[in-house]
Structure formats: C-alpha cells, structure tokens
Amino acid sequence: MIADGYTGRKGKGGFYRINREGGGKVKESINLKTGEYSVSLKPSLESVDAAKLGLRAMLQHSDEGGQYAWRVLSKVLSYAASLVPEIHDQIHAVDEAMRLGYAWKYGPFELIDRIGGAWFAERLRTEGMAVPPLLEAAGDEPFYRTENGLLQYRTTEGEYLDLPRPEGVLLLADIKRRSKPLAKNSSACLWDIGDGVVCLEFTSKMNTMDPMIMGMIRKAVELIPAMGFKAMVIYNEGTNFSAGANLGLLVYAANLAMWEESKQLVKEGQDTYMALKYAPFPVVGAPSGLALGGGCEILLHCDALQAHAETYVGLVEVGVGVIPGWGGCKELLTRWTVNKRRPGGPMPPVIKSFETISVATVAKSAAEAGDYMFLREGDGITMNRDRLLADAKAKVLSMVDGYAPPEPVEVKLPGPTARVAMEMGVDSFVKLGKVTPHDQVVANGLIEVLSGGDTDMTESLSEQALLDLELDQFMRLARHPDTLARMEHILETGKPLRN
Amino acid sequence: MAEYQPPLREYQFIYHELFDPARTQALPGCEEFDGDLVNAVLEEAGKLYTEVLLPLNRSGDEEGCHFEDGEVRTPAGFKQAYQQYVEAGWTGFACDPEYGGQGLPNAVTLLVQEMLCACNLSFGMYPGLSHGAYDAIEAHGDDELKALYLPKLVDGSWSGTMCLTEPQSGTDLGLVRTKAVPQEGGSYKLTGTKIFISAGEHDLTENIVHLVLARLPDAPAGIKGISLFVVPKFLPDANGEAGEGNGVSCGAIEHKMGIKASSTCVMNFDDATGWLIGQPNKGMRAMFTFMNTARLGVGVQGIGIGDAAYQGAVAYARDRLQGRALKGPKSPDKPADSLLVHPDVRRMLLTQRAYVEGIRALGSWIAREIDVYERSTDKAEAQAAEDLAALLIPVFKAFGTDVGFDCANLGVQVFGGHGYIREHGMEQYVRDARITQLYEGTNGIQALDLVGRKMSAHFGRYMRRFFQPVAAYIEERQDNEQLAEFIQPLAKAFGRLQRASAWIAQNGMGNPDEAAAASSDYLRLFGLTALAYLWTRMAEVSLDKLDGEERRFYQAKLDTARFFMQRLLPQNSGLFSAILAGSKSMMAFEDEAF
C-alpha cells in the first residue's frame, strides 16, 4: 500500500478513506482481498446482542463474534488462572493488577465467576484444552462470594477468607453489600456510611441529573437532621460522577411544548441546589471522572469538595445551546466576586465567568479545576480512587463541629453598559467567522445573566435574582429551534452540532 | 339515496381561506395553479365523477366482478366509464409532467380523490393502485423502467398493483416467501402466490403492472431480505407495447363485504419475468417512501364515504315526515314534521358533518406539508414538513377511517329501517367503508406506528412540528374573548394530549406493552385534539366573515365548530383516563380465560 501511495488521508487513502465525491462525506474501507474501497458497514453481530444476557451467552453463540470471544477469552482466562499461586499467592491480587494496570473492568477471576467456573472448565475439557488446577479444584465454587455482607475470596487451599481492604480505603460497593439504603428511588440512593455520615449516590443512566435525583436531595436535606445524621457526601463509583442533566427529558418536554413543565424542571433544580447549599449540615462533593453541566452545578453548591485527581469538571451547557440554569452562572459570578485575589472593578467576575462558560471550558484535572473556581481553597484532591470516599468522609466530619450554613451572598453587577460592550465583542467574533450564529444567540443569553440584567452598580442582587435571570434565559434558549437541533444531534450522535 | 353533490364551496373554503394558497403556489412546479385553475379542476372532476361514476356505484355493488377462466370482468359500465376517465386525463392528474402528467399538487389532488371516493370507491381502486405503482417506480426505478412504464401508467392505458400480502404474511411482511431468481441479462424469475391483490386482474386496461415484494436466493431472513420487483402481465415488446404473456395469472377473486366492484385477486406468479426496483433487499425502504401518500389516500376514502353518507342522510331527514317536534309541531300544515326536528337526528347529522369537515381540514393540512417536502428547495422547511406529515399520517389514516365508518353507520341510522334496505344505498357505504380501517396497515398498526415510531423519532422531533405551533396558537389567543369558547376546550384537550404523550414516553420506555396498550386511545385523542385545533382555526376564519353575503355558510361553520367542541371533543377526557389506567387490566388477564 505504501509503495502504491496509499499512505492515509494525505495520500490516496489508507485502510479507510473519506470519499467526498458528490459533495457528501462517506467513510469507506478497503477490501483486503480486492483492494477496492467500499462504503464502511457497521457490523451487526448477533453474539453482541446476545451478550446483553451475559458474557456466557456471547461465548455460547456460534457466529464469528462468539467464536472469536471464546478463542480469546478461553486462552487468556485459563492462562491467568494457571499463574496463581506462581506469581502471587492469591487471586484477588491478580484481579486488582489487571484492573488497575490494564484498565480491565473486571479481573480474570471475576470474569470466570461471571461466566460460571464449572461451565468454563467443562467447555475447556470438551475442546481438549488444559483445565488449570486452580479452576479444576474450585469445581462448582465461585472465586468470590458474599458472606454476611462481606466479600470473600477463595484461597488456593479452597477456603474462603474476607477480602482485605487497606486502611484508608472505603468502598461504597462494600457498604452496599452489607446494608440496605436509607432511601432509594430509580435514580438515587442514600447510604449510611458510618459515623453519622450519609452518602448520596446517583444511579441513573450515566448518572444524569433528573427529577428523581432532585427529589432524593430534598429528601436528604430533611432526613439527615431528622434521623440524627450529621453530614453528607455526594459520591458514586460509576465511571463518571455525572454527565449532566438528563437532556432527553428536556428535549422531549420541549418537543411537546410543555413549557410550564420544562420551566418547573429547571426551577426545581435551582430550588433543590439552594436547599442543599443552605442545609443545616455540611456537604462534601467527591467527584471522579466527568462532572459536567448539572453534575458540575451540584458540586458548586457543596460546602467543600474532595475530588479524585482525574476529575473533569465543566459547565458545558452552551454546547447544547443553553446556559447553566441550576445556579452555575450564579456560583461562578459570586465565587469570582468574593475572591480576594481577583483584579478590582466590576468587570473581572463577569468576564472571568463568561470566559469559562461561553466556551464550555472543562478542567482537565482536579488541580486545574481550581483555575476556574470549580474548586476553591481548602478543597482536597485524592490520588487513589479507592481512598476518595474515606477522604471525603473525613473532610465532612472535620466540618461538623460548629457548622453553620454559608452566609447568603449579594453581588453588584454592571448591567446594560457591560452587556452592550460584551455583545459587541461577540459580534466581532461572528464577523471573523469564529463564532456561529447560534453561538452568538447563546452567548448573548449568557451575557444577559452575567451582566445582571436590568441593573447597575448601585444595586445589590441576591442569589435568587441571579437564578431568576438564569431561568428566563434558559427557557428563552430552550424554545429556540437551533438549540433543539443541538440537543437532538448530541443525543443521537454523541457529537456537538456547530450550527 | 345517492344524493351526493361535490362540496365545492367547502373545498374553496379549505383551499383558499383556511390555509394559505400562496404557500402552495410558490412551490416549484405549482406556479400556474392559481385560484381559478384550482376551482376549475375541482369543478370538472366533480362533474365527471357525479355524472359518470356515481350512477355505477350501486349497480357495481349489486353485480360485483366476474371471474371466468382466469379472467376478471368488471361490472357493466365500468369499462366505458374508465375510458371516459382516461380521456378526461384524470389518470395522470397527480403525475409528473415529464411523463405526461399534470403535476397537480397534493393539496388539490386530495380533494379530487375525495370526490372519486364519495362517488364510487370501488372504481377509484383501479386508478388508485396505478398511482401507487407509479409512485414506486418514479421514486426507485432506474431510467429505463421509468421510460417504459411511467407514460403508460400516466395515460391510463396500463394499470398497476401492489403485491405484498401472502397467505402467511400480512402485517408481518418479513414472512414473505415469493422468490426471485436472477437471470442472464439482469431480469429475475418470480415464483409465489400473492393474495388480496386489488385490481390484480380486470378488463379495463391493455396491461397490468404488478409491483411484487419477493426474496432473492441469498437474502437475509426477515424484513431485511425483501426486494421490490416490477412484473407486468404482458412483457413489453420492442416498441414498449404490451407483448407476449408473462407467468402471471389470477387464481380466484375474493367474495367480500364491500367494494365489490373492485377485483380482489389471488395472483399466482410462476417463473414470471420481473425487474428489480431500487436496491436488493431494500424493498421495504422503497415501500415506505410512498406508504405516506398511500395512507393519506385511504384516509381520504374515509372522508369521501363519510360525506356521501352525510349528504344522503341530510336529504332524507329533510324530506321524511315522521313524528312531531317535542315542543310542538313545526309544520302543522303537514301530516308530520320532518326528521330534522328531532334532537337525536340533529346529533347524528352534526356528528357526521363535524367529523367530515374536520378530517377534511386535517387531510388538506397534511397534503400541503407533503407538497412542501416534495417540492421545496429550502431544506429546513422541507424537513419540518416531512416530519409533520410523518407524524400526522397514521392519525389521519386511522382516525379518518374510523370516523368515516362511524359516519356511514350514522347514515344508516338516520334512515331508520330504510337504511337497512339495499336500494337506499346507505348500507353500501357501511360495507364499503369497513375495508378502509383494515387495509394499508390496520388502524391498530397505525396506532403502533404513531407511538412506536413517530413519537420517539429523533427524541420527539416529529412531535415538535405539531405541538409547538399549536401551543403557540393557543398562547397567542388566550385573551381573545370572541374565540374563548373554542380556545378553552382546545387548550384543555391539548394539555391532556401533552400529558398522555409524556406518560407514554415515560412508561413505554421500560415496558413497551404500556405504549402499545395505550396506542389506539392515544391516536384517537390525538385525532380529536388535531380536529379541535383545526375547528378553532375554521371558526376564527368564519368569525370575520359573518357580515358578508355568505353569512349562512360561515354561521354554519361556526355552529359546527361549537357542536364539535361541546359534543364531540369531550371524549378526550375519557380517553385520557383510559390511557393513564395503563395496560394491566388487559395484560394480566389469563390467556386461558379468553
């Protein structure tokens, strides 16, 4: 291929190429037998569908995918099983190594448990493959089991021992194994994690924020003092802390022209986050992975954060054509306003907030999140994911004694004079072609909020006044067809639409 | 009695007053269709149909089609009538001028079709099926097929069919077994049996062009392995004329409840030569592109029959003297008052009228949107129009034919015992209308299409095209006192439709049975709400014109709108409760207990 000039996009094409004939963009792939390009087809394997019923269903499937999965997994898993006790005395160390070192979601012994060890051994036997002694010895017994709410592993001697957790490691998964939630609905749970601390866990798809989560937060605010608890951490063990608000719900409500209900959805979020902020007990947010949009705004309403080092925080609402509507604009504005090290004058908080929100800035680490006021002084960062909950719990407990809810903040904002200047700035970017027409519409909505609406520097605006501005602009944008086009596009393709 | 008169004034109201004719006329290819031309077309069609086709409606029903030695003879007079229909150019009125058609927009052809259905539904099947075949070849055929078949279908010398159903494969077309084997030279040999083929065999045209769903030898199982073929009764010769016979034969015709003058055939394909239309295994996609217009066409049948039944019932109620008005005689000089004095008769007549005029407005709205998406060069506008049509078509097809059937039934009821007597013609409307709820996807399937496909498509984008404008319309007129009697019930029904939609979206996601169980009630709720919106608009137009010469016409519109709002729309609250009751009462019922 290289000799013939098929060197990739800048040559005649590579294994793939983009065909732009006819004005479109068609992704094509090379046929390895003929060398001809044809339209890339998305393979559809029945075994992949079957995998929804579990890994074993995939391995049992006779199509190419099923065969491939079996050939790879049968060898990898029996190899791994043959290495204990050679490389380590116990299986859990191998599983942990594969999870941490190779980013496997489950270690090899956990996978064997999911497939069924006895079935796995039997199939290896039927196909004339060697069955590792450890697997043979286990017979019908799993490598892991839960006994009295504790996770146990099977030792090489065939007995079960409690899985050791090092000091400073606290896992919600362990707590969930041995206790029942204090409260539960389809999107969230409250857990008693000991010492008077409650953990709020999101359980919705991709941990998106929805009315059920809002309901659970309001419940927590009532329940925690009533039941004698002292503090709350917001934490979960999903891949991402929260991908943001449930956009599908919002789009559907807008498509049905349920404007009152949509508005209520936003208003309810605002009220809930305010109730969280001014709750009579300390709250620590403990994010890991993505914490975007509404998932970022909830963090902004916590007393403090204990973030995993790999946390990606950002207010990305403009990407889908709206502005932060659950107090994100308000929090950044007030945080910059009260920041002692900021430059003087009325404009810096407005400009700083605008710069962050208008381009959907996402901090690339917990450390960087401080640059944008997503993290404040005194917030903590934890390097080891397994220690995040323990650190958050310690932090919130340290705040219990003498805790008082934060003082309400008032801000003075420049109003229309600043708005006009900033709008002109955006306009010049439009003329340069750096900003799309709808970007401008969204940016102007954001400016309206951040400049304080119809106000001037003599007037003090309460947090509620800022929230009202957010709500108005959010609803105005949510009715815009270009916003709905952005939302629909990201829901369907996972990619932003630049309209 | 066959008392039908083309409702030309109604058509003018819909075409010129309710909707904006300029929007249609501005579309490419529609420039010449100004108001006068449109009125003239409608008048001419109405004249021919009532003079030539209407008299054959009852005789055709009595006589039915004849099947002898594999050939079908249509009832007496049909052949001559078809010739007149062809000579007047009506076979090509909706077709592309490139193939000899007149290129009328759907906004007009829909009304023409309505008159055809009202005069003679059975007759209308023949050109109707030809048009379906035309659409399929036009959209998916290659240039050679188009050049060969389209002019013949347009000039009416050949007719068409759609061969989908097989004994084991009805709603579920994935079960189609007819096979197609590729031949040298690019043709295929088709073998299999198709049933329920309307116009499958008859004596009206020189040739019959069958569009056949079949399976290639290497086709994947199920719906993704279906291809579409064109299979003529006679193979075209070198000059493109009907030549030697093909392996296509009619095995029998069905004996049906209604549309007896329309031949419904069992078609046998025995190594019949055919040609592929569109891509292999993409037959269903090809079908879907004209499913919209086909379903629109069936909905129109509901209006046509409904209007014919209404007109017959009104004429009878006016003349028939029976009983006295409850509050004292209205015509003391006569032996009895007319049926019109009785509240229940008035209820029936106004029910027919309110549904027919409302559904007609809905159909016209959709037809206009189809014109926009077929012709507009503005992409966003075309997309929005296509979305709206896709959403409303199952509503129009199912709700339109359900109320069309109800209207036919009420027509019989107004006649009392005489309605049951064949010579009055009213019972024929009931029998004829019944099929419209079944074919082109049963009304239950339409309801599933609405909740399963249309509601959820693109996170509700199709829904937006209806809900946002209606919401805005209501919002803008909230304080309009003159319209309050219409806007308020509309707003209530609309709110229920919104909530029912959200409920189905929410509950159907976890349990598809919930969406399916709600679907028929939901579709009816949707239909009623759409009609409430259109009746409000019709009332709004009429309010401005009450002082003019046509006071009576507009007053009647306003009064019919009131009747709809007060006497028909209230069904919506019952439907709403039923939807929210969920599926449990039906799904928990034990199978053995049935």
Side-chain angles (χ1 to χ4, degrees):
Chain A
M1 284 173 74
I2 292 168
D4 290 343
Y6 288 95
T7 51
R9 247 183 219 204
K10 290 185 178 141
K12 294 187 205 166
F15 292 110
Y16 301 100
R17 73 171 185 193
I18 305 284
N19 188 344
R20 288 177 197 277
E21 278 171 34
K25 255 171 94 173
V26 180
K27 192 178 176 194
E28 297 182 330
S29 357
I30 200 163
N31 182 324
L32 295 175
K33 284 189 188 128
T34 62
E36 305 274 317
Y37 286 96
S38 56
V39 177
S40 295
L41 299 176
K42 198 175 174 205
S44 129
L45 290 167
E46 283 181 26
S47 52
V48 174
D49 292 334
K52 286 177 193 141
L53 299 171
L55 186 53
R56 193 202 288 192
M58 179 173 206
L59 296 176
Q60 282 175 315
H61 204 281
S62 59
D63 76 357
E64 289 165 296
Q67 290 176 36
Y68 177 79
W70 169 253
R71 277 161 68 181
V72 172
L73 273 182
S74 59
K75 287 178 186 146
V76 170
L77 295 181
S78 47
Y79 173 68
S82 73
L83 292 176
V84 177
E86 188 191 336
I87 59 167
H88 194 282
D89 296 341
Q90 301 304 347
I91 57 165
H92 62 81
V94 175
D95 278 345
E96 192 164 3
M98 293 312 289
R99 281 198 311 268
L100 291 177
Y102 290 82
W104 284 25
K105 193 165 180 189
Y106 302 103
F109 293 97
E110 289 167 312
L111 284 173
I112 292 174
D113 274 358
R114 295 177 85 83
I115 300 167
W119 177 87
F120 182 53
E122 184 53 38
R123 180 147 177 203
L124 289 175
R125 240 175 260 124
T126 324
E127 302 201 356
M129 296 167 75
V131 179
L134 198 65
L135 185 61
E136 188 86 69
D140 287 336
E141 292 180 359
F143 286 108
Y144 294 93
R145 71 174 189 190
T146 303
E147 193 73 8
N148 300 324
L150 291 172
L151 190 60
Q152 297 185 321
Y153 69 98
R154 193 177 186 282
T155 65
T156 45
E157 286 75 38
E159 50 185 352
Y160 284 93
L161 293 180
D162 290 349
L163 197 68
R165 297 290 189 208
E167 201 177 320
V169 169
L170 178 60
L171 294 179
L172 189 57
D174 285 345
I175 293 164
K176 287 162 74 171
R177 240 185 295 273
R178 61 172 183 252
S179 57
K180 289 213 163 62
L182 299 168
K184 179 177 168 45
N185 65 28
S186 59
S187 298
C189 283
L190 295 179
W191 298 95
D192 176 356
I193 60 169
D195 305 312
V197 180
V198 168
C199 174
L200 168 65
E201 181 198 22
F202 308 144
T203 58
S204 55
K205 196 179 170 201
M206 295 175 74
N207 293 332
T208 49
M209 310 300 294
D210 63 16
M212 300 303 280
I213 292 187
M214 295 301 171
M216 190 56 80
I217 296 172
R218 289 195 300 275
K219 187 162 196 166
V221 170
E222 278 177 30
L223 195 136
I224 286 174
M227 288 179 70
F229 288 98
K230 295 185 279 195
M232 181 164 85
V233 295
I234 304 175
Y235 167 89
N236 64 68
E237 285 170 4
T239 315
N240 294 309
F241 175 76
S242 171
N246 184 332
L247 217 49
L249 208 63
L250 192 68
V251 173
Y252 210 85
N255 281 335
L256 290 177
M258 295 177 92
W259 305 123
E260 257 327 295
E261 289 82 353
S262 310
K263 197 171 167 181
Q264 215 42 50
L265 203 73
V266 182
K267 178 91 174 74
E268 215 174 85
Q270 291 185 342
D271 293 349
T272 304
Y273 285 1
M274 284 295 271
L276 182 74
K277 181 172 178 179
Y278 292 104
F281 51 84
V283 177
V284 165
S288 168
L290 299 178
L292 304 178
C296 168
E297 287 171 299
I298 192 172
L299 296 175
L300 295 176
H301 288 79
C302 293
D303 292 297
L305 299 188
Q306 183 69 36
H308 180 221
E310 273 195 65
T311 302
Y312 305 91
V313 200
L315 293 170
V316 296
E317 285 83 351
V318 296
V320 291
V322 288
I323 57 161
W326 284 339
C329 299
K330 172 204 74 165
E331 279 302 315
L332 280 203
L333 261 181
T334 51
R335 285 178 178 210
W336 279 111
T337 305
V338 300
N339 182 281
K340 293 187 188 75
R341 285 202 292 268
R342 73 171 175 88
M347 285 308 281
V350 179
I351 297 292
K352 284 284 184 189
S353 306
F354 182 75
E355 283 171 354
T356 304
I357 301 170
S358 65
V359 295
T361 310
V362 176
K364 293 177 196 69
S365 66
E368 201 192 273
D371 298 351
Y372 305 108
M373 284 289 161
F374 296 135
L375 258 66
R376 287 176 294 189
E377 248 170 82
D379 288 344
I381 296 175
T382 298
M383 289 299 291
N384 183 334
R385 179 74 182 75
D386 288 350
R387 292 171 185 267
L388 182 58
L389 181 57
D391 288 353
K393 184 179 164 185
K395 184 168 203 74
V396 85
L397 279 172
S398 75
M399 299 164 73
V400 167
D401 279 341
Y403 177 78
E407 288 292 319
V409 188
E410 295 208 329
V411 289
K412 290 185 158 78
L413 290 168
T417 45
R419 191 192 75 223
V420 172
M422 290 171 76
E423 281 177 358
M424 279 166 62
V426 172
D427 206 44
S428 67
F429 277 107
V430 176
K431 293 205 172 81
L432 288 169
K434 290 183 176 167
V435 162
T436 70
H438 195 54
D439 284 342
Q440 185 176 22
V441 172
V442 180
N444 288 347
L446 180 61
I447 291 168
E448 173 73 20
V449 175
L450 295 176
S451 61
D454 187 17
T455 186
D456 60 54
M457 288 306 288
T458 64
E459 204 179 342
S460 285
L461 294 177
S462 65
E463 287 185 65
Q464 192 53 52
L466 294 174
L467 288 174
D468 293 345
L469 281 172
E470 281 186 15
L471 183 60
D472 282 352
Q473 291 305 313
F474 186 97
M475 286 312 298
R476 192 180 62 83
L477 291 167
R479 279 175 176 245
H480 201 294
D482 290 349
T483 289
L484 291 176
R486 282 191 180 190
M487 291 186 177
E488 181 189 324
H489 194 267
I490 208 153
L491 283 167
E492 292 200 322
T493 66
K495 290 173 196 151
L497 176 71
R498 296 300 310 272
N499 59 345
Chain B
M1 211 84 60
E3 292 285 352
Y4 180 76
Q5 289 294 322
L8 296 175
R9 181 64 189 92
E10 293 292 336
Y11 292 167
Q12 286 161 7
F13 176 76
I14 295 263
Y15 196 93
H16 304 292
E17 299 171 63
L18 177 60
F19 298 109
D20 177 14
R23 185 175 178 226
T24 303
Q25 208 186 337
L27 294 168
C30 292
E31 299 83 355
E32 58 175 306
F33 298 114
D34 61 13
D36 289 344
L37 182 57
V38 169
N39 290 345
V41 166
L42 293 170
E43 197 178 330
E44 280 308 308
K47 216 160 119 188
L48 180 82
Y49 296 175
T50 44
E51 282 171 11
V52 177
L53 304 179
L54 186 60
L56 295 176
N57 194 34
R58 215 177 86 68
S59 63
D61 179 61
E62 290 291 342
E63 185 185 339
C65 287
H66 307 273
F67 180 68
E68 287 147 11
D69 303 329
E71 289 186 2
V72 172
R73 186 157 47 81
T74 52
F78 268 54
K79 205 167 170 175
Q80 294 82 337
Y82 184 75
Q83 278 317 312
Q84 282 177 271
Y85 184 86
V86 165
E87 279 159 24
W90 292 108
T91 46
F93 67 110
C95 301
D96 193 333
E98 194 185 330
Y99 304 106
Q102 285 134 54
L104 284 164
N106 286 289
V108 183
T109 61
L110 185 93
L111 302 173
V112 174
Q113 276 176 336
E114 183 196 313
M115 291 186 277
L116 181 58
C117 300
C119 288
N120 198 324
L121 187 61
S122 288
F123 180 91
M125 295 297 288
Y126 298 96
L129 266 299
S130 298
H131 193 71
Y134 168 89
D135 275 344
I137 297 172
E138 207 257 342
H140 299 283
D142 58 30
D143 291 343
E144 205 176 333
L145 288 177
K146 284 188 198 177
L148 195 54
Y149 290 98
L150 295 185
K152 296 287 192 188
L153 289 168
V154 170
D155 72 21
S157 54
W158 295 6
S159 66
T161 76
M162 306 298 303
C163 300
L164 280 60
T165 307
E166 296 180 10
Q168 77 293 346
S169 170
T171 294
D172 187 353
L173 287 169
L175 300 173
V176 157
R177 280 208 286 254
T178 296
K179 60 175 199 240
V181 182
Q183 305 294 306
E184 295 281 321
S187 69
Y188 295 81
K189 290 278 190 206
L190 279 86
T191 303
T193 296
K194 295 286 179 178
I195 62 166
F196 297 172
I197 306 309
S198 296
E201 175 61 30
H202 56 78
D203 56 357
L204 303 181
T205 56
E206 298 161 14
N207 199 0
I208 301 174
V209 183
H210 301 284
L211 292 194
V212 186
L213 285 185
R215 210 174 266 291
L216 293 167
D218 56 349
I223 203 79
K224 288 176 182 164
I226 308 282
S227 308
L228 185 63
F229 298 86
V230 53
V231 183
K233 177 182 174 187
F234 297 106
L235 296 168
D237 63 17
N239 301 321
E241 299 299 326
E244 65 177 287
N246 199 359
V248 184
S249 61
C250 174
I253 58 173
E254 305 290 349
H255 302 278
K256 310 187 295 289
M257 176 179 179
I259 54 166
K260 294 186 181 214
S262 160
S263 66
T264 303
C265 307
V266 176
M267 297 304 299
N268 295 314
F269 296 87
D270 191 8
D271 267 345
T273 301
W275 289 269
L276 183 69
I277 302 181
Q279 299 295 310
N281 301 329
K282 297 282 196 281
M284 286 315 291
R285 191 182 294 177
M287 296 296 301
F288 267 105
T289 53
F290 60 86
M291 206 81 99
N292 274 349
T293 36
R295 289 180 170 173
L296 190 71
V298 176
V300 172
Q301 297 179 341
I303 315 174
I305 299 254
D307 194 18
Y310 167 69
Q311 293 194 30
V314 166
Y316 186 77
R318 208 187 286 286
D319 291 349
R320 175 76 171 168
L321 306 181
Q322 209 73 180
R324 286 295 185 191
L326 295 173
K327 292 203 293 188
K330 276 271 173 69
S331 315
D333 49 325
K334 293 191 178 147
D337 288 337
S338 83
L339 292 187
L340 277 182
V341 304
H342 302 298
D344 196 54
V345 171
R346 299 175 81 87
R347 173 190 65 83
M348 292 191 277
L349 296 176
L350 278 164
T351 300
Q352 291 177 304
R353 182 171 178 139
Y355 276 142
V356 166
E357 291 181 15
I359 286 287
R360 179 183 289 136
L362 179 60
S364 284
W365 186 16
I366 300 170
R368 272 151 206 276
E369 299 300 316
I370 294 180
D371 286 328
V372 170
Y373 87 68
E374 283 181 351
R375 297 174 192 249
S376 174
T377 47
D378 176 337
K379 258 188 172 173
E381 185 191 37
Q383 181 68 64
E386 185 166 4
D387 290 353
L388 181 61
L391 175 70
L392 293 180
I393 274 170
V395 177
F396 177 67
K397 193 277 178 184
F399 186 57
T401 58
D402 280 351
V403 301
F405 177 76
D406 291 346
C407 291
N409 226 354
L410 288 171
V412 170
Q413 197 70 25
V414 169
F415 272 65
H418 293 277
Y420 203 62
I421 305 300
R422 276 167 57 166
E423 73 173 286
H424 292 293
M426 299 306 285
E427 57 84 46
Q428 185 191 344
Y429 291 138
V430 177
R431 288 184 288 105
D432 283 358
R434 195 63 186 82
I435 186 62
T436 61
Q437 297 166 289
L438 303 170
Y439 58 21
E440 206 59 58
T442 64
N443 287 358
I445 290 294
Q446 305 299 324
L448 286 181
D449 180 43
L450 178 64
V451 299
R453 259 194 218 108
K454 306 296 169 63
M455 250 180 100
S456 54
H458 308 289
F459 293 86
R461 191 183 75 209
Y462 294 179
M463 303 285 268
R464 184 195 314 166
R465 315 300 189 185
F466 175 82
F467 284 86
Q468 289 196 354
V470 175
Y473 178 86
I474 294 171
E475 220 173 273
E476 284 158 20
R477 287 159 184 78
Q478 249 165 2
D479 304 322
N480 183 328
E481 279 176 26
Q482 251 195 323
L483 271 184
E485 58 177 315
F486 306 103
I487 287 288
Q488 281 169 8
L490 166 64
K492 274 212 174 97
F494 182 69
R496 291 196 180 105
L497 183 66
Q498 286 176 311
R499 276 173 286 155
S501 309
W503 187 92
I504 291 173
Q506 225 156 19
N507 291 278
M509 223 167 347
N511 178 6
D513 274 350
E514 287 295 348
S519 61
S520 282
D521 288 332
Y522 176 74
L523 184 143
R524 194 171 175 91
L525 175 63
F526 206 131
L528 283 165
T529 310
L531 257 55
Y533 166 63
L534 291 164
W535 267 120
T536 306
R537 284 183 55 180
M538 290 195 273
E540 190 178 19
V541 171
S542 303
L543 273 170
D544 289 343
K545 302 185 178 179
L546 287 174
D547 299 333
E549 279 175 30
E550 292 188 290
R551 189 202 65 82
R552 180 164 283 164
F553 177 82
Y554 294 108
Q555 187 63 47
K557 275 269 167 290
L558 214 51
D559 291 340
T560 313
R562 287 192 178 110
F563 176 84
F564 180 84
M565 293 296 174
Q566 294 170 24
R567 302 296 306 225
L568 299 179
L569 184 60
Q571 294 166 55
N572 80 78
S573 69
L575 292 164
F576 180 67
S577 304
I579 292 165
L580 264 58
S583 70
K584 203 167 170 217
S585 60
M586 44 186 129
M587 299 317 287
F589 196 82
E590 284 179 40
D591 288 1
E592 292 72 23
F594 277 109

